[in-house]
Amino acid sequence: MPGHAYITHGDPNVLRDVAIQVAGGLGYGVEPQGAWRLKVSQGSLAASLFLGAFIAYCDFTVDVVSHADGTYHLLLHRNNPWWTGWIGMNRVKNRAIQLADAYGNELMRAGVPVLQRNDF
């Protein structure tokens, strides 16, 4: 699944809190899927099936993952709604980029040391 990653030396609790607050502040529904995983969504699957490219159906997963090198990663995985065509997929991709940028801005504002951002 394509997405974006922030590699940090931050506190994982801060990363999770930033993920929740920023997504909620941008109008996404946020649903915990475990201690370190969130489902972040916006739009309607049914509406996207009927209206296609006119509706951006965002069904993202956000994970906070620890690595052996002592870093913590904030991972945003985006969906790829192929049934909406090229235009609909680009709308979802752009929304994911906007959310990832907002995460990065908030991490920096919170003083979290961001080592790198990767887009995959």
Side-chain angles (χ1 to χ4, degrees), residues 11-97:
D11 178 346
N13 293 307
V14 171
L15 297 178
R16 182 187 59 216
D17 292 346
V18 163
I20 292 169
Q21 293 169 1
V22 168
L26 291 175
Y28 288 87
V30 179
E31 181 182 330
Q33 299 286 301
W36 304 108
R37 173 171 279 195
L38 304 169
K39 179 180 178 179
V40 177
S41 58
Q42 190 175 63
S44 164
L45 174 60
S48 76
L49 289 171
F50 290 111
L51 300 174
F54 297 107
I55 299 293
Y57 173 60
C58 301
D59 185 24
F60 304 151
T61 303
V62 179
D63 293 301
V64 176
V65 180
S66 66
H67 283 263
D69 63 359
T71 61
Y72 288 93
H73 298 202
L74 178 66
L75 305 172
L76 169 63
H77 298 275
R78 68 175 168 83
N79 61 321
N80 202 11
W82 55 266
W83 62 89
T84 62
W86 184 78
I87 294 171
M89 288 189 300
N90 274 336
R91 285 186 177 170
V92 170
K93 180 180 177 181
N94 289 335
R95 295 258 177 101
I97 290 170

